Short mmCIF file of all heavy atoms in Angstrom, two decimals:
data_model
loop_
_atom_site.label_atom_id
_atom_site.label_comp_id
_atom_site.label_asym_id
_atom_site.label_seq_id
_atom_site.Cartn_x
_atom_site.Cartn_y
_atom_site.Cartn_z
N MET A 292 -20.96 3.42 -15.26
CA MET A 292 -19.67 3.05 -14.66
C MET A 292 -18.95 2.05 -15.55
O MET A 292 -19.58 1.24 -16.21
CB MET A 292 -19.90 2.41 -13.29
CG MET A 292 -20.37 3.39 -12.22
SD MET A 292 -20.12 2.67 -10.58
CE MET A 292 -19.46 4.08 -9.73
N LYS A 293 -17.64 2.12 -15.51
CA LYS A 293 -16.88 1.14 -16.29
C LYS A 293 -15.65 0.70 -15.52
O LYS A 293 -15.15 1.41 -14.66
CB LYS A 293 -16.49 1.72 -17.65
CG LYS A 293 -15.62 2.94 -17.58
CD LYS A 293 -15.35 3.49 -18.98
CE LYS A 293 -14.45 4.72 -18.90
NZ LYS A 293 -14.28 5.39 -20.19
N ARG A 294 -15.16 -0.49 -15.89
CA ARG A 294 -13.97 -1.03 -15.24
C ARG A 294 -12.75 -0.22 -15.64
O ARG A 294 -12.61 0.21 -16.77
CB ARG A 294 -13.73 -2.49 -15.67
CG ARG A 294 -14.62 -3.51 -15.02
CD ARG A 294 -14.45 -3.63 -13.53
NE ARG A 294 -13.16 -4.20 -13.15
CZ ARG A 294 -12.79 -4.36 -11.88
NH1 ARG A 294 -13.59 -3.99 -10.90
NH2 ARG A 294 -11.62 -4.87 -11.59
N GLY A 295 -11.87 -0.05 -14.69
CA GLY A 295 -10.63 0.65 -14.99
C GLY A 295 -9.73 0.66 -13.78
O GLY A 295 -10.01 -0.02 -12.79
N VAL A 296 -8.66 1.42 -13.89
CA VAL A 296 -7.79 1.63 -12.74
C VAL A 296 -7.61 3.13 -12.55
O VAL A 296 -7.74 3.90 -13.50
CB VAL A 296 -6.39 0.96 -12.90
CG1 VAL A 296 -6.52 -0.56 -12.95
CG2 VAL A 296 -5.67 1.48 -14.13
N ALA A 297 -7.35 3.52 -11.33
CA ALA A 297 -7.08 4.92 -11.02
C ALA A 297 -6.03 4.96 -9.92
O ALA A 297 -5.97 4.05 -9.09
CB ALA A 297 -8.35 5.64 -10.59
N PRO A 298 -5.20 5.99 -9.94
CA PRO A 298 -4.19 6.09 -8.89
C PRO A 298 -4.82 6.25 -7.52
O PRO A 298 -5.76 7.04 -7.37
CB PRO A 298 -3.37 7.34 -9.26
CG PRO A 298 -3.88 7.81 -10.55
CD PRO A 298 -5.16 7.12 -10.85
N MET A 299 -4.34 5.47 -6.56
CA MET A 299 -4.79 5.60 -5.18
C MET A 299 -3.56 5.64 -4.28
O MET A 299 -2.59 4.93 -4.54
CB MET A 299 -5.70 4.44 -4.79
CG MET A 299 -6.16 4.48 -3.34
SD MET A 299 -7.29 3.13 -2.94
CE MET A 299 -8.84 3.83 -3.49
N THR A 300 -3.60 6.49 -3.27
CA THR A 300 -2.46 6.59 -2.35
C THR A 300 -2.86 6.03 -1.00
O THR A 300 -3.90 6.38 -0.46
CB THR A 300 -2.01 8.05 -2.22
OG1 THR A 300 -1.63 8.54 -3.50
CG2 THR A 300 -0.81 8.16 -1.27
N ILE A 301 -2.03 5.13 -0.50
CA ILE A 301 -2.22 4.57 0.83
C ILE A 301 -1.07 5.06 1.70
O ILE A 301 0.09 5.06 1.26
CB ILE A 301 -2.24 3.02 0.79
CG1 ILE A 301 -3.59 2.53 0.28
CG2 ILE A 301 -1.97 2.43 2.17
CD1 ILE A 301 -3.75 1.02 0.35
N SER A 302 -1.38 5.49 2.91
CA SER A 302 -0.35 5.93 3.85
C SER A 302 -0.31 5.00 5.05
O SER A 302 -1.35 4.53 5.52
CB SER A 302 -0.63 7.36 4.32
OG SER A 302 -0.58 8.23 3.22
N TYR A 303 0.90 4.76 5.54
CA TYR A 303 1.08 4.01 6.78
C TYR A 303 2.24 4.63 7.52
O TYR A 303 3.37 4.62 7.03
CB TYR A 303 1.33 2.54 6.49
CG TYR A 303 1.55 1.71 7.74
CD1 TYR A 303 0.48 1.42 8.58
CD2 TYR A 303 2.81 1.25 8.07
CE1 TYR A 303 0.69 0.68 9.73
CE2 TYR A 303 3.02 0.50 9.22
CZ TYR A 303 1.95 0.22 10.04
OH TYR A 303 2.15 -0.51 11.19
N LYS A 304 1.96 5.22 8.68
CA LYS A 304 2.97 5.94 9.45
C LYS A 304 3.65 6.98 8.56
O LYS A 304 2.96 7.79 7.96
CB LYS A 304 3.94 4.96 10.11
CG LYS A 304 3.17 4.09 11.11
CD LYS A 304 4.08 3.30 12.01
CE LYS A 304 3.23 2.52 13.03
NZ LYS A 304 4.05 1.62 13.84
N ASP A 305 4.99 6.92 8.43
CA ASP A 305 5.65 7.98 7.65
C ASP A 305 5.83 7.59 6.19
O ASP A 305 6.54 8.26 5.45
CB ASP A 305 7.00 8.34 8.29
CG ASP A 305 7.97 7.15 8.28
OD1 ASP A 305 7.49 6.01 8.15
OD2 ASP A 305 9.18 7.37 8.39
N ARG A 306 5.20 6.52 5.78
CA ARG A 306 5.34 6.07 4.39
C ARG A 306 4.02 6.16 3.65
O ARG A 306 2.96 5.99 4.23
CB ARG A 306 5.83 4.62 4.34
CG ARG A 306 7.27 4.49 4.70
CD ARG A 306 7.69 3.06 4.74
NE ARG A 306 9.13 3.01 4.92
CZ ARG A 306 10.00 2.88 3.91
NH1 ARG A 306 9.57 2.72 2.69
NH2 ARG A 306 11.28 2.89 4.13
N SER A 307 4.12 6.39 2.36
CA SER A 307 2.91 6.32 1.55
C SER A 307 3.31 5.80 0.17
O SER A 307 4.46 5.92 -0.25
CB SER A 307 2.24 7.69 1.43
OG SER A 307 3.03 8.57 0.70
N VAL A 308 2.37 5.20 -0.48
CA VAL A 308 2.64 4.66 -1.81
C VAL A 308 1.40 4.88 -2.68
O VAL A 308 0.27 4.80 -2.21
CB VAL A 308 3.03 3.16 -1.76
CG1 VAL A 308 1.88 2.29 -1.30
CG2 VAL A 308 3.55 2.70 -3.11
N THR A 309 1.64 5.22 -3.94
CA THR A 309 0.56 5.39 -4.89
C THR A 309 0.57 4.20 -5.84
O THR A 309 1.63 3.82 -6.32
CB THR A 309 0.71 6.70 -5.67
OG1 THR A 309 0.74 7.78 -4.74
CG2 THR A 309 -0.44 6.90 -6.64
N PHE A 310 -0.59 3.60 -6.03
CA PHE A 310 -0.67 2.42 -6.88
C PHE A 310 -1.92 2.51 -7.75
O PHE A 310 -2.77 3.37 -7.54
CB PHE A 310 -0.69 1.14 -6.02
CG PHE A 310 -1.90 1.05 -5.11
CD1 PHE A 310 -2.98 0.27 -5.48
CD2 PHE A 310 -1.96 1.76 -3.95
CE1 PHE A 310 -4.10 0.19 -4.68
CE2 PHE A 310 -3.09 1.70 -3.13
CZ PHE A 310 -4.15 0.91 -3.50
N GLU A 311 -2.01 1.60 -8.70
CA GLU A 311 -3.15 1.57 -9.61
C GLU A 311 -4.26 0.73 -8.99
O GLU A 311 -4.13 -0.49 -8.89
CB GLU A 311 -2.74 0.98 -10.96
CG GLU A 311 -1.66 1.77 -11.68
CD GLU A 311 -2.22 3.04 -12.29
OE1 GLU A 311 -3.01 2.92 -13.24
OE2 GLU A 311 -1.88 4.13 -11.82
N MET A 312 -5.31 1.37 -8.55
CA MET A 312 -6.41 0.66 -7.90
C MET A 312 -7.47 0.29 -8.93
O MET A 312 -8.06 1.16 -9.57
CB MET A 312 -7.02 1.58 -6.83
CG MET A 312 -8.17 0.96 -6.08
SD MET A 312 -7.66 -0.44 -5.03
CE MET A 312 -9.23 -0.85 -4.26
N PRO A 313 -7.71 -1.02 -9.09
CA PRO A 313 -8.75 -1.44 -10.02
C PRO A 313 -10.14 -1.25 -9.42
O PRO A 313 -10.31 -1.29 -8.20
CB PRO A 313 -8.45 -2.92 -10.25
CG PRO A 313 -7.69 -3.36 -9.06
CD PRO A 313 -7.01 -2.16 -8.48
N GLY A 314 -11.12 -1.06 -10.25
CA GLY A 314 -12.49 -0.92 -9.76
C GLY A 314 -13.41 -0.42 -10.85
O GLY A 314 -13.04 -0.32 -12.02
N TRP A 315 -14.63 -0.13 -10.45
CA TRP A 315 -15.61 0.47 -11.34
C TRP A 315 -15.60 1.97 -11.08
O TRP A 315 -15.79 2.42 -9.95
CB TRP A 315 -17.01 -0.09 -11.06
CG TRP A 315 -17.15 -1.53 -11.42
CD1 TRP A 315 -16.93 -2.60 -10.61
CD2 TRP A 315 -17.53 -2.06 -12.69
NE1 TRP A 315 -17.15 -3.77 -11.31
CE2 TRP A 315 -17.52 -3.47 -12.58
CE3 TRP A 315 -17.87 -1.48 -13.93
CZ2 TRP A 315 -17.85 -4.30 -13.66
CZ3 TRP A 315 -18.20 -2.31 -14.99
CH2 TRP A 315 -18.20 -3.71 -14.85
N TYR A 316 -15.36 2.74 -12.13
CA TYR A 316 -15.27 4.18 -11.97
C TYR A 316 -16.32 4.89 -12.81
O TYR A 316 -16.61 4.50 -13.94
CB TYR A 316 -13.87 4.66 -12.37
CG TYR A 316 -12.80 4.19 -11.41
CD1 TYR A 316 -12.12 3.01 -11.62
CD2 TYR A 316 -12.51 4.93 -10.27
CE1 TYR A 316 -11.16 2.56 -10.72
CE2 TYR A 316 -11.56 4.49 -9.36
CZ TYR A 316 -10.88 3.31 -9.59
OH TYR A 316 -9.94 2.87 -8.71
N CYS A 317 -16.91 5.92 -12.21
CA CYS A 317 -17.94 6.71 -12.88
C CYS A 317 -17.28 7.80 -13.72
O CYS A 317 -16.33 8.43 -13.28
CB CYS A 317 -18.87 7.34 -11.85
SG CYS A 317 -20.15 8.36 -12.58
N ASP A 318 -17.80 8.00 -14.94
CA ASP A 318 -17.26 9.04 -15.83
C ASP A 318 -17.65 10.44 -15.38
O ASP A 318 -16.97 11.41 -15.68
CB ASP A 318 -17.78 8.82 -17.26
CG ASP A 318 -17.06 7.68 -17.94
OD1 ASP A 318 -15.92 7.38 -17.54
OD2 ASP A 318 -17.64 7.08 -18.87
N GLU A 319 -18.76 10.55 -14.67
CA GLU A 319 -19.31 11.88 -14.39
C GLU A 319 -18.96 12.43 -13.01
O GLU A 319 -19.10 13.62 -12.76
CB GLU A 319 -20.83 11.84 -14.56
CG GLU A 319 -21.25 11.84 -16.03
CD GLU A 319 -22.31 10.78 -16.31
OE1 GLU A 319 -23.24 10.67 -15.50
OE2 GLU A 319 -22.18 10.08 -17.32
N CYS A 320 -18.58 11.56 -12.12
CA CYS A 320 -18.19 12.04 -10.79
C CYS A 320 -17.03 11.19 -10.29
O CYS A 320 -16.51 10.35 -11.01
CB CYS A 320 -19.36 11.99 -9.81
SG CYS A 320 -19.98 10.32 -9.55
N SER A 321 -16.62 11.41 -9.08
CA SER A 321 -15.45 10.68 -8.56
C SER A 321 -15.86 9.38 -7.88
O SER A 321 -15.06 8.75 -7.20
CB SER A 321 -14.68 11.57 -7.59
OG SER A 321 -15.54 11.98 -6.55
N GLU A 322 -17.10 8.98 -8.08
CA GLU A 322 -17.62 7.76 -7.47
C GLU A 322 -16.86 6.52 -7.96
O GLU A 322 -16.50 6.42 -9.13
CB GLU A 322 -19.09 7.65 -7.88
CG GLU A 322 -19.89 6.65 -7.11
CD GLU A 322 -21.35 6.65 -7.59
OE1 GLU A 322 -21.64 7.30 -8.61
OE2 GLU A 322 -22.17 6.00 -6.95
N SER A 323 -16.62 5.58 -7.05
CA SER A 323 -16.00 4.33 -7.47
C SER A 323 -16.52 3.19 -6.61
O SER A 323 -16.91 3.38 -5.46
CB SER A 323 -14.47 4.42 -7.36
OG SER A 323 -14.07 4.59 -6.02
N LEU A 324 -16.55 2.00 -7.21
CA LEU A 324 -16.96 0.79 -6.49
C LEU A 324 -15.86 -0.25 -6.63
O LEU A 324 -15.28 -0.40 -7.71
CB LEU A 324 -18.26 0.24 -7.08
CG LEU A 324 -19.55 0.99 -6.78
CD1 LEU A 324 -20.71 0.38 -7.56
CD2 LEU A 324 -19.87 0.98 -5.29
N HIS A 325 -15.58 -0.96 -5.54
CA HIS A 325 -14.52 -1.95 -5.56
C HIS A 325 -15.04 -3.28 -5.04
O HIS A 325 -15.65 -3.34 -3.97
CB HIS A 325 -13.35 -1.48 -4.70
CG HIS A 325 -12.84 -0.12 -5.10
ND1 HIS A 325 -12.05 0.07 -6.22
CD2 HIS A 325 -13.06 1.09 -4.57
CE1 HIS A 325 -11.78 1.35 -6.33
NE2 HIS A 325 -12.38 2.00 -5.35
N ASN A 326 -14.80 -4.33 -5.80
CA ASN A 326 -15.20 -5.66 -5.33
C ASN A 326 -14.10 -6.25 -4.46
O ASN A 326 -13.07 -5.62 -4.22
CB ASN A 326 -15.57 -6.56 -6.53
CG ASN A 326 -14.38 -6.84 -7.44
OD1 ASN A 326 -13.24 -6.81 -7.00
ND2 ASN A 326 -14.65 -7.12 -8.70
N GLY A 327 -14.31 -7.48 -4.01
CA GLY A 327 -13.36 -8.11 -3.11
C GLY A 327 -11.97 -8.24 -3.70
O GLY A 327 -10.97 -8.00 -3.01
N ASP A 328 -11.88 -8.59 -4.99
CA ASP A 328 -10.58 -8.73 -5.64
C ASP A 328 -9.86 -7.38 -5.71
O ASP A 328 -8.65 -7.30 -5.53
CB ASP A 328 -10.74 -9.29 -7.06
CG ASP A 328 -11.06 -10.79 -7.04
OD1 ASP A 328 -10.91 -11.41 -5.97
OD2 ASP A 328 -11.46 -11.31 -8.09
N ASP A 329 -10.63 -6.32 -5.98
CA ASP A 329 -10.05 -4.97 -6.04
C ASP A 329 -9.47 -4.60 -4.68
O ASP A 329 -8.34 -4.11 -4.57
CB ASP A 329 -11.11 -3.93 -6.42
CG ASP A 329 -11.74 -4.23 -7.78
OD1 ASP A 329 -11.10 -4.91 -8.59
OD2 ASP A 329 -12.87 -3.77 -8.00
N LEU A 330 -10.26 -4.86 -3.64
CA LEU A 330 -9.83 -4.49 -2.29
C LEU A 330 -8.61 -5.30 -1.86
O LEU A 330 -7.76 -4.82 -1.12
CB LEU A 330 -10.99 -4.69 -1.30
CG LEU A 330 -12.14 -3.69 -1.50
CD1 LEU A 330 -13.32 -4.05 -0.61
CD2 LEU A 330 -11.70 -2.26 -1.24
N GLU A 331 -8.53 -6.53 -2.38
CA GLU A 331 -7.38 -7.38 -2.08
C GLU A 331 -6.09 -6.72 -2.56
O GLU A 331 -5.04 -6.83 -1.92
CB GLU A 331 -7.57 -8.75 -2.74
CG GLU A 331 -6.52 -9.78 -2.41
CD GLU A 331 -6.51 -10.16 -0.93
OE1 GLU A 331 -7.58 -10.11 -0.28
OE2 GLU A 331 -5.43 -10.49 -0.44
N VAL A 332 -6.16 -6.01 -3.69
CA VAL A 332 -4.99 -5.30 -4.21
C VAL A 332 -4.52 -4.26 -3.20
O VAL A 332 -3.33 -4.16 -2.89
CB VAL A 332 -5.33 -4.62 -5.56
CG1 VAL A 332 -4.20 -3.71 -6.01
CG2 VAL A 332 -5.61 -5.67 -6.63
N SER A 333 -5.46 -3.50 -2.64
CA SER A 333 -5.08 -2.45 -1.69
C SER A 333 -4.56 -3.06 -0.38
O SER A 333 -3.65 -2.51 0.24
CB SER A 333 -6.26 -1.51 -1.42
OG SER A 333 -7.31 -2.20 -0.78
N VAL A 334 -5.12 -4.22 0.00
CA VAL A 334 -4.64 -4.89 1.21
C VAL A 334 -3.19 -5.35 1.03
O VAL A 334 -2.36 -5.20 1.92
CB VAL A 334 -5.56 -6.09 1.56
CG1 VAL A 334 -4.92 -6.99 2.61
CG2 VAL A 334 -6.91 -5.60 2.04
N ARG A 335 -2.89 -5.89 -0.18
CA ARG A 335 -1.53 -6.34 -0.45
C ARG A 335 -0.55 -5.16 -0.42
O ARG A 335 0.56 -5.27 0.10
CB ARG A 335 -1.45 -7.04 -1.81
CG ARG A 335 -1.75 -8.52 -1.73
CD ARG A 335 -1.11 -9.27 -2.88
NE ARG A 335 -1.49 -8.72 -4.18
CZ ARG A 335 -2.58 -9.06 -4.84
NH1 ARG A 335 -3.39 -9.96 -4.35
NH2 ARG A 335 -2.86 -8.52 -6.00
N VAL A 336 -0.96 -4.03 -1.01
CA VAL A 336 -0.10 -2.84 -1.01
C VAL A 336 0.17 -2.38 0.42
O VAL A 336 1.30 -2.06 0.79
CB VAL A 336 -0.73 -1.70 -1.85
CG1 VAL A 336 0.04 -0.40 -1.67
CG2 VAL A 336 -0.76 -2.08 -3.32
N LEU A 337 -0.88 -2.39 1.24
CA LEU A 337 -0.72 -1.97 2.63
C LEU A 337 0.21 -2.92 3.38
O LEU A 337 1.05 -2.49 4.18
CB LEU A 337 -2.09 -1.89 3.31
CG LEU A 337 -2.09 -1.40 4.76
CD1 LEU A 337 -1.50 0.01 4.87
CD2 LEU A 337 -3.50 -1.41 5.34
N ASP A 338 0.08 -4.22 3.11
CA ASP A 338 0.96 -5.20 3.75
C ASP A 338 2.42 -4.95 3.38
O ASP A 338 3.31 -5.04 4.22
CB ASP A 338 0.57 -6.63 3.34
CG ASP A 338 -0.64 -7.13 4.12
OD1 ASP A 338 -1.02 -6.47 5.10
OD2 ASP A 338 -1.21 -8.16 3.73
N GLN A 339 2.67 -4.63 2.10
CA GLN A 339 4.03 -4.33 1.65
C GLN A 339 4.57 -3.10 2.37
O GLN A 339 5.73 -3.05 2.77
CB GLN A 339 4.05 -4.09 0.13
CG GLN A 339 3.98 -5.36 -0.68
CD GLN A 339 3.82 -5.09 -2.16
OE1 GLN A 339 3.98 -3.95 -2.61
NE2 GLN A 339 3.49 -6.10 -2.93
N LEU A 340 3.69 -2.11 2.51
CA LEU A 340 4.07 -0.86 3.18
C LEU A 340 4.45 -1.13 4.63
O LEU A 340 5.45 -0.62 5.13
CB LEU A 340 2.88 0.10 3.10
CG LEU A 340 3.13 1.59 3.10
CD1 LEU A 340 4.12 1.98 2.01
CD2 LEU A 340 1.82 2.32 2.88
N LYS A 341 3.66 -1.96 5.29
CA LYS A 341 3.94 -2.31 6.69
C LYS A 341 5.26 -3.05 6.80
O LYS A 341 6.03 -2.82 7.73
CB LYS A 341 2.81 -3.17 7.26
CG LYS A 341 1.55 -2.38 7.55
CD LYS A 341 0.47 -3.31 8.09
CE LYS A 341 -0.79 -2.54 8.44
NZ LYS A 341 -1.87 -3.43 8.87
N ALA A 342 5.53 -3.96 5.85
CA ALA A 342 6.77 -4.72 5.86
C ALA A 342 7.97 -3.79 5.65
O ALA A 342 8.99 -3.93 6.31
CB ALA A 342 6.75 -5.79 4.77
N GLN A 343 7.82 -2.82 4.74
CA GLN A 343 8.90 -1.85 4.50
C GLN A 343 9.17 -1.03 5.74
O GLN A 343 10.32 -0.78 6.11
CB GLN A 343 8.51 -0.90 3.35
CG GLN A 343 8.65 -1.53 1.99
CD GLN A 343 8.11 -0.61 0.90
OE1 GLN A 343 7.91 0.57 1.13
NE2 GLN A 343 7.85 -1.16 -0.26
N GLN A 344 8.10 -0.60 6.40
CA GLN A 344 8.21 0.19 7.62
C GLN A 344 8.96 -0.60 8.69
O GLN A 344 9.84 -0.09 9.36
CB GLN A 344 6.80 0.56 8.09
CG GLN A 344 6.73 1.20 9.46
CD GLN A 344 7.11 2.67 9.42
OE1 GLN A 344 6.94 3.32 8.41
NE2 GLN A 344 7.64 3.18 10.51
N LYS A 345 8.63 -1.89 8.80
CA LYS A 345 9.25 -2.76 9.80
C LYS A 345 10.73 -2.94 9.50
O LYS A 345 11.57 -2.84 10.39
CB LYS A 345 8.53 -4.11 9.78
CG LYS A 345 8.83 -5.01 10.96
CD LYS A 345 7.98 -6.28 10.85
CE LYS A 345 8.63 -7.41 11.62
NZ LYS A 345 8.08 -8.71 11.22
N ASN A 346 11.07 -3.20 8.22
CA ASN A 346 12.46 -3.38 7.83
C ASN A 346 13.27 -2.12 8.09
O ASN A 346 14.42 -2.19 8.51
CB ASN A 346 12.56 -3.76 6.35
CG ASN A 346 12.05 -5.17 6.11
OD1 ASN A 346 12.00 -5.97 7.04
ND2 ASN A 346 11.67 -5.46 4.89
N GLN A 347 12.65 -0.97 7.82
CA GLN A 347 13.33 0.30 8.03
C GLN A 347 13.65 0.49 9.51
O GLN A 347 14.72 0.94 9.87
CB GLN A 347 12.45 1.45 7.53
CG GLN A 347 13.16 2.79 7.55
CD GLN A 347 12.21 3.93 7.29
OE1 GLN A 347 11.07 3.94 7.73
NE2 GLN A 347 12.66 4.91 6.54
N ARG A 348 12.68 0.09 10.36
CA ARG A 348 12.86 0.25 11.80
C ARG A 348 14.01 -0.63 12.28
O ARG A 348 14.83 -0.22 13.09
CB ARG A 348 11.56 -0.10 12.52
CG ARG A 348 11.35 0.69 13.80
CD ARG A 348 9.89 0.65 14.25
NE ARG A 348 9.40 -0.70 14.37
CZ ARG A 348 8.27 -1.13 13.82
NH1 ARG A 348 7.54 -0.30 13.10
NH2 ARG A 348 7.87 -2.35 13.97
N ILE A 349 14.12 -1.86 11.76
CA ILE A 349 15.20 -2.78 12.12
C ILE A 349 16.54 -2.19 11.68
O ILE A 349 17.50 -2.17 12.44
CB ILE A 349 14.98 -4.17 11.47
CG1 ILE A 349 13.79 -4.85 12.13
CG2 ILE A 349 16.23 -5.03 11.60
CD1 ILE A 349 13.29 -6.08 11.39
N ALA A 350 16.58 -1.65 10.46
CA ALA A 350 17.81 -1.06 9.93
C ALA A 350 18.24 0.12 10.79
O ALA A 350 19.42 0.29 11.08
CB ALA A 350 17.60 -0.62 8.48
N GLN A 351 17.26 0.95 11.20
CA GLN A 351 17.59 2.12 12.02
C GLN A 351 18.12 1.71 13.38
O GLN A 351 19.11 2.27 13.85
CB GLN A 351 16.34 3.00 12.20
CG GLN A 351 16.08 3.89 10.99
CD GLN A 351 14.73 4.57 11.06
OE1 GLN A 351 13.91 4.25 11.92
NE2 GLN A 351 14.49 5.49 10.15
N SER A 352 17.51 0.71 14.02
CA SER A 352 17.95 0.31 15.35
C SER A 352 19.32 -0.35 15.26
O SER A 352 20.15 -0.19 16.14
CB SER A 352 16.92 -0.61 16.01
OG SER A 352 16.79 -1.80 15.29
N ALA A 353 19.60 -1.08 14.18
CA ALA A 353 20.90 -1.69 13.99
C ALA A 353 21.96 -0.61 13.82
O ALA A 353 23.07 -0.72 14.33
CB ALA A 353 20.88 -2.61 12.77
N ALA A 354 21.61 0.46 13.11
CA ALA A 354 22.56 1.54 12.85
C ALA A 354 22.94 2.24 14.15
O ALA A 354 24.09 2.61 14.34
CB ALA A 354 21.97 2.53 11.86
N THR A 355 21.97 2.42 15.05
CA THR A 355 22.26 3.13 16.29
C THR A 355 22.90 2.20 17.32
O THR A 355 23.54 2.65 18.25
CB THR A 355 20.99 3.77 16.89
OG1 THR A 355 20.00 2.75 17.03
CG2 THR A 355 20.45 4.87 16.00
N ALA A 356 22.74 0.88 17.15
CA ALA A 356 23.28 -0.06 18.12
C ALA A 356 24.78 -0.26 17.93
O ALA A 356 25.45 -0.70 18.84
CB ALA A 356 22.57 -1.40 18.02
N GLY A 357 25.28 0.04 16.76
CA GLY A 357 26.72 -0.09 16.54
C GLY A 357 27.03 -0.96 15.36
O GLY A 357 26.17 -1.70 14.88
N PRO A 358 28.26 -0.90 14.91
CA PRO A 358 28.65 -1.59 13.67
C PRO A 358 28.74 -3.10 13.81
O PRO A 358 28.85 -3.79 12.81
CB PRO A 358 30.01 -0.99 13.34
CG PRO A 358 30.53 -0.49 14.65
CD PRO A 358 29.32 -0.11 15.47
N THR A 359 28.75 -3.64 15.01
CA THR A 359 28.91 -5.08 15.18
C THR A 359 27.59 -5.82 14.94
O THR A 359 27.59 -7.03 14.78
CB THR A 359 29.44 -5.44 16.57
OG1 THR A 359 28.59 -4.86 17.55
CG2 THR A 359 30.85 -4.91 16.76
N LEU A 360 26.45 -5.09 14.99
CA LEU A 360 25.18 -5.73 14.76
C LEU A 360 24.77 -5.58 13.31
O LEU A 360 24.92 -4.50 12.75
CB LEU A 360 24.09 -5.11 15.66
CG LEU A 360 24.12 -5.48 17.13
CD1 LEU A 360 23.00 -4.76 17.85
CD2 LEU A 360 23.98 -6.99 17.31
N SER A 361 24.21 -6.64 12.72
CA SER A 361 23.67 -6.52 11.38
C SER A 361 22.20 -6.90 11.41
O SER A 361 21.80 -7.77 12.18
CB SER A 361 24.43 -7.40 10.39
OG SER A 361 24.33 -8.74 10.78
N ALA A 362 21.42 -6.25 10.58
CA ALA A 362 19.98 -6.50 10.56
C ALA A 362 19.68 -7.79 9.83
O ALA A 362 20.16 -8.01 8.70
CB ALA A 362 19.27 -5.34 9.89
N GLN A 363 18.95 -8.64 10.47
CA GLN A 363 18.50 -9.89 9.84
C GLN A 363 16.99 -9.95 9.91
O GLN A 363 16.41 -9.40 10.83
CB GLN A 363 19.08 -11.10 10.59
CG GLN A 363 20.58 -11.10 10.70
CD GLN A 363 21.27 -11.60 9.45
OE1 GLN A 363 20.66 -12.27 8.65
NE2 GLN A 363 22.52 -11.26 9.28
N ASP A 364 16.44 -10.71 9.02
CA ASP A 364 14.98 -10.87 9.06
C ASP A 364 14.59 -11.80 10.20
O ASP A 364 15.20 -12.81 10.42
CB ASP A 364 14.47 -11.44 7.76
CG ASP A 364 13.97 -10.31 6.87
OD1 ASP A 364 13.63 -9.25 7.41
OD2 ASP A 364 13.93 -10.52 5.66
ZN1 LIG B 72 -21.37 9.15 -10.81
#
């Protein structure tokens, strides 16, 4: 096994994102091992995805509520 990155796709509701997941990857099979720091990368990506989903939902509800409302954080 050797250190490297490989594309990984995370999905959350109707969104998904592909990112470079660091870890130990096997040359001969699709086996991979991830330490805590590696997993932290995927947790951060998932958090971003959740935040995007939330912002999108606010934007959608503002759009249907009428032009006088604006979306704020
Ligand atoms: Zn292997």
Side-chain angles (χ1 to χ4, degrees):
M292 289 197 137
K293 61 183 181 187
R294 283 296 292 178
V296 295
M299 177 177 276
T300 301
I301 282 186
S302 297
Y303 179 72
K304 296 192 177 174
D305 63 340
R306 286 176 173 264
S307 68
V308 66
T309 302
F310 63 100
E311 299 285 292
M312 180 67 177
W315 293 91
Y316 292 92
C317 179
D318 284 335
E319 284 133 44
C320 62
S321 57
E322 193 179 9
S323 65
L324 286 174
H325 305 284
N326 64 26
D328 285 347
D329 301 336
L330 292 173
E331 186 65 29
V332 172
S333 65
V334 167
R335 272 205 306 274
V336 171
L337 183 60
D338 281 348
Q339 283 173 12
L340 208 54
K341 286 179 178 176
Q343 283 174 16
Q344 171 79 28
K345 194 176 156 197
N346 290 339
Q347 187 190 38
R348 212 162 54 231
I349 291 167
Q351 280 170 351
S352 64
T355 54
T359 54
L360 285 179
S361 61
Q363 304 279 340
D364 263 337

